Amino acid sequence: MIEVRLEQLDANSEYSVLVKWNYSDLAAVSLDDMICMVETSKAVVDILSPASGFLVQGLAEGDALVTGDLIAVVAESEEEARTIQKELRSQDKKRKKSAQAAHDAEENPASTALNITKKAKDLLNANNISPDVFKGMALVTERDVKEYITKNTKLAPSAPIVPSGKTNRVLIVTARVGGMQVLDILLNDPSVSVVGFVDDDPELSDSQVWDVPVLGTFKEIESLWKRDLFDSAIIGFSSNIETRKELFERCVSLGIPMANAIDPSVRINRACSLGQGNIICSHVHIGFGSVLGNNNFIGANSSIDHDNKMGDHILMGPNCVTSGRVEVGNEVRFGTGIFVQPQLTIGAGSIISSGSVLTSSVPANHVVKVNYSQRMGPK
Amino acid sequence: MLGEDILDPYGGAFKVTKGMSSRWPERVLTTPISEAAFTGIAAGMALRGARPVIEIMFGDFITLAFDQIANHITKFSMMYNGGVECPVVIRAPMGGGRGYGPTHSQSLEKHFIGIPGLNVAPISRFHDLDSFYSHFILKESRPTLIIENKKMYGQEYIGTVTEHRIFNVDLKGGPIPSVLLTPVSTGKADVCLISYSGGGDIAIDAAEELLMEHEIHTSVLILGSLSPLPLTVLEEAITDVSQVVVVEEGSRVSGIGAEIAAALMEQCFHKLRAPIQRITSGDGIIPCAADKEARFLPGPKSVIDQVLRMPGVS
């Protein structure tokens, strides 16, 4: 048997169409008989039989084909031709079946083969999530998977990440200095409107901070939320982890989405991820691949280098520098001006005092103090 | 319609005019091999009220008609203070990728975007063929150079669609719109690739890989006009993206990318977050050999590499 395949007929055609068969299936053909015609973008081309024998058609009229595709087979005997025909038909059936399946998938999005980005696939595998949960979506990205994970984690069962860029009415919890810090950041974002503060300080009740009113006490968060007066909240406290955490968890339990406040001068590199309720002050740098949890406060000029993993409720003073691949547990408190060497781990609940240069990991619930002397006296 | 070898049965080197001379024998004229002559003839016809379309067999040969275009066709209307119009339409197949070598593969449109009074319009697979050609042939009062990337002759036509692969497709501006493709999931992009005609395919392939493999949301703007540049459309497309890359098949210096970069800097410097980058062909002649030609001309890989090298794309 001799196969007839489509040759490159001219330089311009990427695909051609089989226009017409001149011989029927299993017909006897002679060398150089014109068995069929193929139309390229330039012309109709005659396809000649490469030998005498029996023709087996590999395609139907109107089928598209590209260079190298099988057009026909010329068999030596009629018997051989029948065997080949059978084989080609079964291949054709299979092909049509898969084409039909693909077509059905397109008609019925629930069974569509999903477009999933590489990063999303990796994240799905790492978290043992079936891609089926995204059925019907045109495209699944890492962000979609992260949102899914966030939605399905215990911490914030009903609090979706607030997408940036949407108009967002934000309530700031505390009108004292931490809250003012948040307001100062959010005033830079035209898509955000800060609707007000809540604070327990009686001196602040019914007052205004930079034209933004104090709407009530912490107790009233729930009633303000139920009255639909804001879309998301953020905790302003920047000195007390326990208060931050308590208020954050109270908001989340009410189903309130927690906003992030990120100064426009902050540099966040590729493949970073951020939870909710974080305050990131001016000129902070976050290196690629770093992950921050929820409700953290990162002071101005701090630099979190690549591939760091930061937990929740962390307070970091200004000018703290962590090197690559540092891991920080929940509720760690950093002072001011701290350096952390690469690949160290700081356990949950620890306190690192100002001016520390960490050269080894810190277990959970430890305090690191710096032992240096500073003397002061009259000139 | 005038040009070389455009009559049936041959129907032109790329078969664009096939069938036309049989249908309208008095309106399809084959010419001797002289681009200067038949371009000049078209100029005369247009001055007398006709609507001539000329075919440059390979875009490279348009250099032979440069005098007619730069000194005559585009000058008449202004020299006679609007008293005459000269709406000649010049169709020129540009681009490589076919192994046609140094003098049959170039993209010379950059030499024409600076000629006052001339429209330079690249057709893409996403443009509605009928309205695109009928606009320039029947409605425009200025002369027009239409750029047809010759790879498109062998490709499937896409036409006006709302979705393509993993992108939403929107038409922007007019009368000949540009085509904006944005990732289907978010509609937002961090990188914008600007291209036209056949370069659009390179950009779309690159944008798809950037999204699927690297999760970099990338949009593609396929321009419907190179001269004048659709500045409002360009500004809209680059708003809120971190990086802008112009992809063109022609050579680098004084190219389309240079003009787009300069125009965007003048128009909306404050919206640019990083220097505009250019992806172009190499500096030299386009080789015939397929593998060498592929390395010489820009492809999706060169775009992807450039984007991945750029800082601040997240």
Side-chain angles (χ1 to χ4, degrees):
Chain A
M1 64 165 224
I2 299 177
E3 290 185 341
V4 184
R5 290 187 179 272
L6 182 68
E7 290 173 19
Q8 183 75 42
L9 297 171
D10 60 58
N12 296 308
S13 302
E14 282 177 3
Y15 76 106
S16 310
V17 174
L18 193 139
V19 187
K20 191 173 178 302
W21 284 107
N22 287 340
Y23 289 86
S24 57
D25 224 5
L26 302 177
V29 291
S30 307
L31 175 69
D32 286 345
D33 275 349
M34 196 227 288
I35 53 176
C36 65
M37 295 189 290
V38 167
E39 187 182 45
T40 71
S41 67
K42 296 194 88 168
V44 174
V45 179
D46 303 335
I47 304 294
L48 307 182
S49 178
S52 294
F54 295 85
L55 177 76
V56 185
Q57 296 177 353
L59 293 164
E61 288 179 358
D63 279 357
L65 61 166
V66 297
T67 306
D69 277 359
L70 185 76
I71 301 171
V73 177
V74 178
E76 279 166 32
S77 67
E78 201 174 340
E79 198 189 333
E80 190 194 22
R82 281 185 196 286
T83 319
I84 295 167
Q85 187 194 44
K86 228 181 187 175
E87 213 172 283
L88 287 180
R89 290 261 163 90
S90 79
Q91 281 174 14
D92 195 40
K93 248 186 208 164
K94 271 186 210 158
R95 212 183 56 219
K96 279 193 178 140
K97 222 177 176 178
S98 66
Q100 184 63 37
H103 177 76
D104 288 351
E106 218 163 278
E107 297 282 295
N108 174 12
S111 63
T112 299
L114 289 164
N115 281 317
I116 306 178
T117 66
K118 189 173 168 291
K119 286 186 178 176
K121 264 183 211 160
D122 293 346
L123 200 56
L124 284 173
N125 290 339
N127 288 280
N128 246 339
I129 300 169
S130 158
D132 292 347
V133 300
F134 297 105
K135 263 182 188 173
M137 284 177 65
L139 178 70
V140 180
T141 63
E142 191 183 30
R143 196 190 61 177
D144 298 321
V145 180
K146 279 184 181 164
E147 274 184 16
Y148 177 83
I149 293 169
T150 311
K151 265 184 208 161
N152 288 280
T153 47
K154 213 173 137 200
L155 175 73
S158 58
I161 290 175
V162 177
S164 62
K166 278 201 176 162
T167 306
N168 192 356
R169 297 168 300 161
V170 178
L171 178 77
I172 301 177
V173 180
T174 185
R176 278 175 281 183
V177 63
M180 289 170 74
Q181 240 168 329
V182 173
L183 178 61
D184 187 46
I185 292 172
L186 291 180
L187 285 175
N188 295 309
D189 187 345
S191 70
V192 165
S193 66
V194 176
V195 292
F197 295 99
V198 283
D199 206 300
D200 274 350
D201 188 340
E203 275 185 36
L204 290 169
S205 69
D206 296 327
S207 67
Q208 287 200 339
V209 180
W210 295 337
D211 299 323
V212 175
V214 177
L215 301 172
T217 61
F218 297 152
K219 259 190 195 157
E220 278 147 283
I221 295 173
E222 185 171 2
S223 63
L224 294 168
W225 173 242
K226 284 190 173 150
R227 283 159 62 200
D228 189 25
L229 291 177
F230 63 96
D231 303 307
S232 62
I234 183 163
I235 315 298
F237 287 98
S238 55
S239 55
N240 187 326
I241 288 182
E242 268 176 17
T243 316
R244 259 191 91 78
K245 187 182 169 190
E246 192 260 310
L247 287 164
F248 180 83
E249 286 179 351
R250 194 196 294 184
C251 289
V252 168
S253 70
L254 291 169
I256 299 169
M258 302 305 288
N260 287 312
I262 302 171
D263 191 89
S265 63
V266 169
R267 170 63 171 254
I268 299 178
N269 284 334
R270 283 182 192 160
C272 290
S273 95
L274 207 62
Q276 306 169 37
N278 295 291
I279 302 168
I280 305 191
C281 299
S282 63
H283 296 96
V284 167
H285 153 253
I286 301 179
F288 66 82
S290 284
V291 177
L292 266 75
N294 301 298
N295 200 34
N296 298 301
F297 178 96
I298 309 294
N301 283 317
S302 288
S303 170
I304 294 167
D305 214 335
H306 67 91
D307 295 306
N308 275 222
K309 286 194 174 54
M310 300 260 168
D312 304 326
H313 319 297
I314 295 166
L315 287 185
M316 187 180 266
N319 282 297
C320 289
V321 177
T322 66
S323 310
R325 298 183 202 285
V326 169
E327 285 194 39
V328 181
N330 294 342
E331 298 166 52
V332 171
R333 169 87 215 243
F334 290 85
T336 298
I338 290 164
F339 292 92
V340 182
Q341 287 209 339
Q343 301 186 14
L344 300 185
T345 303
I346 301 170
S350 284
I351 298 171
I352 318 296
S353 60
S354 298
S356 298
V357 178
L358 288 189
T359 55
S360 61
S361 290
V362 180
N365 296 312
H366 274 58
V367 179
V368 177
K369 282 187 178 168
V370 186
N371 192 7
Y372 70 100
S373 59
Q374 189 178 49
R375 284 184 293 177
M376 205 187 305
K379 270 165 83 176
Chain B
M1 178 93 209
L2 295 91
E4 294 157 3
D5 296 341
I6 62 174
L7 297 190
D8 288 342
Y10 185 65
F14 294 100
K15 308 300 164 204
V16 173
T17 56
K18 197 166 173 64
M20 287 174 68
S21 66
S22 304
R23 199 163 161 195
W24 298 287
E26 74 292 353
R27 287 165 61 184
V28 182
L29 309 176
T30 197
T31 68
I33 305 176
S34 174
E35 281 73 10
F38 69 71
T39 307
I41 291 167
M45 292 169 79
L47 286 175
R48 297 300 302 270
R51 289 271 174 174
V53 180
I54 60 175
E55 174 175 296
I56 307 288
M57 182 189 278
F58 280 77
D60 310 67
F61 311 156
I62 200 170
T63 52
L64 293 157
F66 196 81
D67 176 60
Q68 285 298 336
I69 297 168
N71 285 325
H72 304 284
I73 289 174
T74 54
K75 293 281 192 291
F76 288 138
S77 177
M78 288 180 275
M79 282 163 63
Y80 292 100
N81 197 23
V84 293
E85 288 179 349
C86 195
V88 178
V89 170
I90 305 157
R91 294 183 31 249
M94 296 286 188
R98 293 270 151 212
Y100 294 154
T103 61
H104 291 65
S105 308
Q106 298 168 88
S107 297
L108 297 179
E109 49 273 19
K110 71 176 189 181
H111 299 292
F112 293 85
I113 59 169
I115 298 177
L118 180 68
N119 301 315
V120 180
I123 179 99
S124 82
R125 293 203 285 159
F126 293 92
H127 282 102
D128 180 68
L129 292 175
D130 193 6
S131 54
F132 187 94
Y133 285 97
S134 61
H135 173 81
F136 292 113
I137 296 172
L138 301 176
K139 295 178 193 150
E140 262 294 327
S141 56
R142 307 197 324 166
T144 302
L145 170 60
I146 293 177
I147 307 299
E148 301 170 4
N149 189 293
K150 58 176 85 82
K151 262 187 296 192
M152 296 195 304
Y153 297 134
Q155 288 174 321
E156 276 182 278
Y157 170 58
I158 297 168
T160 312
V161 292
T162 54
E163 273 185 33
H164 177 66
R165 285 153 57 170
I166 53 165
F167 302 96
N168 290 325
V169 183
D170 291 298
L171 298 180
K172 300 279 182 186
I176 296 302
S178 296
V179 184
L180 182 64
L181 292 91
T182 45
V184 77
S185 59
T186 54
K188 279 195 155 190
D190 205 32
V191 175
C192 179
L193 307 177
I194 299 170
S195 195
Y196 60 92
S197 200
D201 288 328
I202 300 171
I204 290 168
D205 285 348
E208 182 162 321
E209 190 173 329
L210 283 166
L211 180 52
M212 296 307 290
E213 295 296 316
H214 305 283
E215 195 113 351
I216 296 172
H217 292 252
T218 306
S219 61
V220 176
L221 179 68
I222 299 173
L223 295 171
S225 175
L226 299 180
S227 184
L229 277 176
L231 287 175
T232 319
V233 171
L234 280 162
E235 179 172 348
E236 186 192 334
I238 63 108
T239 298
D240 292 335
V241 305
S242 308
Q243 299 283 352
V244 180
V245 181
V246 183
V247 183
E248 64 184 298
E249 226 188 281
S251 59
R252 187 176 184 83
V253 173
S254 289
I256 307 292
E259 183 56 32
I260 290 173
L264 284 176
M265 284 218 296
E266 288 167 346
Q267 165 110 349
C268 50
F269 181 76
H270 58 286
K271 287 193 175 170
L272 298 169
R273 299 183 191 163
I276 295 172
Q277 301 293 324
R278 289 175 284 168
I279 296 290
T280 64
S281 71
D283 185 13
I285 60 168
I286 301 171
C288 286
D291 55 335
K292 285 189 173 164
E293 186 186 27
R295 283 200 297 276
F296 186 86
L297 296 175
K301 191 174 177 304
S302 45
V303 181
I304 292 163
D305 289 349
Q306 175 63 49
V307 170
L308 294 180
R309 268 201 304 273
M310 298 191 291
V313 177
S314 57

